[in-house]
Amino acid sequence: MSKPITDTLPPHTVSTERIALVGNPNAGKSSLFNLLTGLNQKVGNYPGVTVDKKVGTLHLPSGRSLQVVDLPGTYSIFPRSSDELVVADQLLNLKEESFQAIVVVVDATNLERNLLLCTQLIDLGLPIVLVLNMADLVQKRKISLNTEVLRRELGNIPIVQMNARRGEGLNTLKNKLDEVIDAPLGQFYDPHSAAAEAVSEVKYQLGCQNYYQAYLLLHYGDSLTFLSPAEKKLLQNCKDQFNFNAEALQVEETTQRYQQIDQIVAAAISTPEIGSSAFTEKLDQYVTHKVFGYLIFFGLLLLIFQAIFAWAAAPMDFIDLMFGKLGTWISETLPEGPLTDLLAEGIVPGIGGIVIFIPQIAILFAFITVLEESGYMARVVFMMDKLMRKVGLNGRSVVPLISGLACAIPAIMATRGIDDWKDRLITIFVTPFMSCSARLPVYVILIGLVVPEKTYLGVFNLAGLVLMGLYLLGFFMAISSAWVMKKLIRAKSQGFLIMELPAYRWPRWGNVGVTVLEKSRAFVFEAGKIILAVSIILWVLASYGPGDAMQQAEEQIIQLAQQDEALAESLDTRIESARLQESYAGQFGKWIEPVIRPLGYDWKIGIALITSFAAREVFVGTIATLYSIGDTDSESTIKSRLRNEINPETGGPRYTPAVAFSLLVFYAFAMQCMSTLAIVKQETRSWRWPLLQLLYMTIAAYVAALLVYQLMS
């Protein structure tokens, strides 16, 4: 049975036997990790950075259990991104017990590129098991691979051929890991001959295990977290004293390694002149075409958007109905009192507000995993990266942004596919600007209230044009904010993309299922805690008030109803409205009135702004309660009531076009969603970014709404 996910993974201790999975992106490392650990895995993050740390447990035939650490994908130990720095930090660490074995996963159909990382690990003297993944493609493409020659040329390291997608070769790998893995015998680059004095000094001073470890510390010591300030200063002094030219040495090293890799591949592999990758190449002519490629991509996005928006509706309605019935059953069954109210109106709806997002999260990640597994996502990144990078985003940012039109919660979780942390952070920051489905009820009510029913050219409805304008406004704000963030935090970014396009593969459905389960579980157990806590706080604010003000308001309404039959017919709704106005939420609404008055809002709108922090669509229900409308499903009733609301200061309508458009712009830009803040906290592992996001979006919403109201008044 799987265990719940926690923010903090158990610290590594010297008594834990552990192995690491390393490899290039798209080499099949994640598939192998799922295969080895099944559901016995946890996701946390590495100290000091927001990079996923996936750890699982592997049970070997002998009965031993190993901790398996799935390190981020990297092409080499020349780190440029946060993910690659994590790999370097783990493999070069001088102060932690090393791994029992390093399982290097390589794409057997593309050994030339994959072996660069492998040769670096060999030079570090690490105990390596080389997994030649995608053995099925090797056979399909009629590639002749001599593993004995390869093993000998790579320093007698153990080699296992696998098809990780189907589990072929798994038992062989487990048996190999049950043995003692010796350090490799070969060496591909001699750093001592390249920078003898510097590497000797560092090896001696820091107690490195070999010259290559000292050489890499000289290169990247400034970025490695396990080194103390004094050790980093020592490294810098060595570089200055011995004129260590890092850039020139890296070029020389890379050149030498690839020369040797070419010789090894030539000796161990024979590839037919006409490769069997013809299918991939033919398909890429359309999938990455300058016109058809984008049409195919946007067609898939439309399908994903429809699935999140429409297919998830039925299960979400079912969940909503079940939790509603549960709340009613509790309130009717348990004795009356504060505890029953808390359970029926606070905790149960709060849990329902978490579970209701699971269908959307599951659908989105099922699509994303299928696109990843099939090899199509790499093409998307290739096509969109150039366009998105101009505004500080990443080719993979497109899917979260479009998904944000349905719901920001799964959309922000989808940013985990973005390798670079800064690209991912910018995408997380701007995605809530995309108009999600929760904004739609607010848009529909307010547009219907003030926008006349007109049609242009017999086709274009004015209300529809305004609605489209609001969606475009959110997209423009997201792009503009991304551009600003690019200037603020990416000034030194080189902005180029290095990646390979993998062959098209049929998705491994078991892997899809594990991913969907893991993402749903992460949301419920991590973000869910925050959502539940905020739900209860909002319920308390709306259910209780200072002193006996709520009780007095209720008694006053009952007395008035005894004298007015019309009032008696809607007594419950009137009481609910009066109690809400005297609650702490009502008091806060009146308290913030001076702040929101320049926007054209009164204290009733202030109450709706506070309660709708639970979810934007709550604005409509709160307004209906405040105006004692009762039936929130009737748009015409709500619009009619709002249209007749009088502003006591002007004697005219409260909801003028200026107020309505000010509210529309406010809701287009404002965060107003506790669930989004919770998921941002989960994904960034910090309160810093969600609070900055809340502040930025609130200021943007306030300023924009103020300008709209003042210009239209």
Side-chain angles (χ1 to χ4, degrees):
M1 183 176 176
S2 59
K3 298 178 181 177
I5 291 174
T6 57
D7 280 339
T8 306
L9 294 169
H12 167 63
T13 60
V14 292
S15 60
T16 305
E17 287 191 294
R18 58 179 193 151
I19 63 171
L21 298 187
V22 300
N24 293 183
N26 297 317
K29 191 167 56 64
S30 297
S31 294
L32 180 57
F33 178 73
N34 289 335
L35 194 65
L36 290 173
T37 62
L39 294 178
N40 297 313
Q41 53 182 262
K42 297 180 180 180
V43 179
N45 67 297
Y46 290 95
V49 293
T50 312
V51 175
D52 279 353
K53 181 178 184 180
K54 298 178 70 175
V55 178
T57 303
L58 166 65
H59 301 290
L60 295 174
S62 65
R64 290 169 58 210
S65 294
L66 297 177
Q67 188 184 71
V68 184
V69 181
D70 184 17
L71 295 176
T74 182
Y75 291 101
S76 66
I77 312 181
F78 300 140
R80 287 190 300 270
S81 68
S82 303
D83 288 21
E84 293 171 340
L85 272 174
V86 163
V87 178
D89 225 30
Q90 291 288 307
L91 298 180
L92 299 178
N93 199 329
L94 302 166
K95 300 171 183 176
E96 195 173 63
E97 188 184 15
S98 59
F99 294 96
Q100 268 67 38
I102 307 293
V103 179
V104 183
V105 186
V106 301
D107 176 357
T109 65
N110 195 354
L111 278 182
E112 293 92 336
R113 178 183 49 71
N114 282 242
L115 286 182
L116 174 64
L117 173 63
C118 183
T119 60
Q120 286 186 293
L121 298 176
I122 290 171
D123 283 356
L124 280 171
L126 297 171
I128 291 173
V129 176
L130 181 65
V131 170
L132 299 176
N133 195 22
M134 305 185 190
D136 55 325
L137 287 183
V138 171
Q139 189 174 14
K140 187 176 180 181
R141 295 179 185 179
K142 301 178 181 177
I143 298 173
S144 174
L145 203 162
N146 190 327
T147 55
E148 182 54 33
V149 172
L150 191 62
R151 186 186 66 80
R152 188 179 65 241
E153 295 292 333
L154 292 176
N156 289 325
I157 61 174
I159 294 178
V160 178
Q161 294 195 70
M162 286 195 70
N163 176 3
R165 299 160 61 83
R166 295 184 177 276
E168 295 168 3
L170 178 62
N171 290 333
T172 306
L173 177 61
K174 285 184 176 180
N175 290 330
K176 189 59 66 180
L177 291 173
D178 227 350
E179 303 172 359
V180 175
I181 310 298
D182 296 323
L185 301 176
Q187 184 180 27
F188 289 84
Y189 180 69
D190 181 10
H192 191 262
S193 64
E197 293 172 313
V199 296
S200 295
E201 182 69 13
V202 170
K203 182 177 182 294
Y204 172 73
Q205 292 286 349
L206 297 184
C208 299
Q209 295 179 354
N210 53 56
Y211 288 123
Y212 192 59
Q213 188 179 36
Y215 169 83
L216 288 176
L217 292 182
L218 277 164
H219 269 284
Y220 306 108
D222 288 345
S223 307
L224 299 174
T225 61
F226 62 83
L227 293 175
S228 67
E231 291 168 332
K232 291 181 179 180
K233 186 177 180 182
L234 182 148
L235 289 170
Q236 186 59 50
N237 290 340
C238 283
K239 289 164 72 174
D240 295 339
Q241 181 182 353
F242 300 113
N243 296 319
F244 187 81
N245 190 336
E247 187 174 347
L249 286 171
Q250 183 176 326
V251 172
E252 176 190 316
E253 177 193 348
T254 307
T255 304
Q256 285 190 25
R257 287 187 187 278
Y258 272 118
Q259 287 174 347
Q260 295 177 73
I261 289 170
D262 287 343
Q263 295 173 4
I264 293 171
V265 171
I269 294 180
S270 174
T271 305
E273 292 187 4
I274 301 176
S276 56
S277 60
F279 171 75
T280 293
E281 293 172 1
K282 287 180 180 177
L283 196 55
D284 274 344
Q285 291 178 0
Y286 299 97
V287 171
T288 60
H289 190 269
K290 292 181 179 179
V291 177
F292 298 124
Y294 290 102
L295 291 176
I296 293 170
F297 174 54
F298 284 108
L300 280 171
L301 279 181
L302 181 63
L303 177 64
I304 294 172
F305 179 67
Q306 285 295 315
I308 299 172
F309 197 79
W311 297 359
M316 291 176 77
D317 289 344
F318 178 75
I319 292 170
D320 193 32
L321 178 66
M322 289 298 103
F323 276 90
K325 287 187 174 181
L326 179 60
T328 303
W329 180 82
I330 289 173
S331 62
E332 293 176 352
T333 306
L334 297 182
E336 290 187 5
L339 182 59
T340 299
D341 292 343
L342 174 63
L343 280 172
E345 300 171 11
I347 295 178
V348 169
I351 296 174
I354 300 165
V355 178
I356 200 168
F357 288 111
I358 290 179
Q360 288 184 326
I361 292 170
I363 290 173
L364 176 61
F365 278 99
F367 271 104
I368 289 177
T369 310
V370 167
L371 296 181
E372 293 269 10
E373 291 252 326
S374 65
Y376 179 75
M377 189 60 83
R379 274 78 182 174
V380 172
V381 176
F382 168 72
M383 287 191 300
M384 300 304 299
D385 194 77
K386 188 176 180 181
L387 292 175
M388 301 303 289
R389 201 164 286 277
K390 291 179 180 176
V391 293
L393 297 172
N394 183 293
R396 291 177 181 266
S397 302
V398 176
V399 173
L401 285 177
I402 299 299
S403 303
L405 291 171
C407 180
I409 311 301
I412 288 172
M413 292 182 72
T415 60
R416 289 192 176 195
I418 301 173
D419 296 328
D420 185 273
W421 166 237
K422 290 181 180 177
D423 290 343
R424 185 180 167 199
L425 179 62
I426 294 175
T427 308
I428 289 174
F429 207 86
V430 305
T431 293
F433 278 117
M434 304 298 285
S435 284
C436 65
S437 58
R439 287 180 170 103
L440 195 56
V442 182
Y443 290 168
V444 169
I445 292 293
L446 295 174
I447 290 174
L449 187 65
V450 296
V451 176
E453 294 184 4
K454 288 184 179 179
T455 302
Y456 296 95
L457 303 176
V459 178
F460 300 107
N461 181 277
L462 182 58
L465 292 174
V466 172
L467 183 62
M468 186 183 75
L470 288 167
Y471 276 81
L472 290 176
L473 188 64
F475 177 74
F476 175 76
M477 194 62 185
I479 296 298
S480 303
S481 300
W483 184 81
V484 171
M485 287 192 72
K486 172 189 174 186
K487 297 296 180 185
L488 291 176
I489 68 173
R490 294 180 59 87
K492 295 181 180 179
S493 172
Q494 295 180 1
F496 57 85
L497 172 72
I498 300 174
M499 67 175 301
E500 71 165 320
L501 300 182
Y504 290 105
R505 307 289 301 277
W506 193 250
R508 182 172 169 262
W509 300 110
N511 206 33
V512 175
V514 169
T515 302
V516 168
L517 183 62
E518 187 255 312
K519 299 297 182 187
S520 303
R521 199 171 58 177
F523 171 74
V524 170
F525 286 101
E526 294 184 34
K529 293 181 291 189
I530 301 169
I531 297 172
L532 179 60
V534 178
S535 296
I536 293 174
I537 291 172
L538 287 174
W539 173 79
V540 170
L541 291 176
S543 302
Y544 294 91
D548 59 351
M550 294 178 71
Q551 183 64 31
Q552 290 182 11
E554 182 176 342
E555 292 172 359
Q556 187 176 3
I557 293 295
I558 292 174
Q559 289 177 2
L560 291 174
Q562 292 172 350
Q563 303 166 10
D564 186 345
E565 292 184 1
L567 188 62
E569 292 178 358
S570 58
L571 181 60
D572 291 343
T573 308
R574 297 280 180 179
I575 291 175
E576 188 180 354
S577 174
R579 289 181 63 84
L580 179 58
Q581 291 181 33
E582 297 301 329
S583 67
Y584 287 117
Q587 300 302 315
F588 277 123
K590 294 171 184 173
W591 182 65
I592 66 171
E593 188 175 20
V595 178
I596 60 177
R597 188 179 292 279
L599 311 183
Y601 309 161
D602 63 0
W603 61 272
K604 291 183 180 178
I605 297 177
I607 295 175
L609 293 180
I610 291 171
T611 57
S612 65
F613 188 70
R616 296 179 180 92
E617 63 269 31
V618 173
F619 174 84
V620 177
T622 303
I623 287 292
T625 300
L626 287 170
Y627 293 127
S628 305
I629 296 169
D631 182 10
T632 58
D633 293 333
S634 174
E635 292 177 14
S636 60
T637 306
I638 297 174
K639 283 188 283 189
S640 174
R641 183 66 184 84
L642 296 182
R643 194 172 286 120
N644 295 328
E645 177 71 5
I646 299 299
N647 184 339
E649 296 178 0
T650 64
R654 159 62 65 193
Y655 289 90
T656 62
V659 172
F661 275 99
S662 173
L663 271 171
L664 284 169
V665 171
F666 184 89
Y667 271 93
F669 290 167
M671 170 61 81
Q672 292 298 105
C673 181
M674 63 174 182
S675 302
T676 302
L677 286 175
I679 202 69
V680 173
K681 192 269 176 184
Q682 173 191 309
E683 295 300 309
T684 60
R685 309 289 179 186
S686 163
W687 277 110
R688 176 189 177 191
W689 292 108
L691 292 178
L692 276 175
Q693 194 177 31
L694 174 64
L695 181 66
Y696 174 69
M697 294 184 70
T698 303
I699 292 174
Y702 187 91
V703 172
L706 177 66
L707 289 173
V708 168
Y709 179 73
Q710 297 298 332
L711 290 173
M712 293 184 68
S713 296

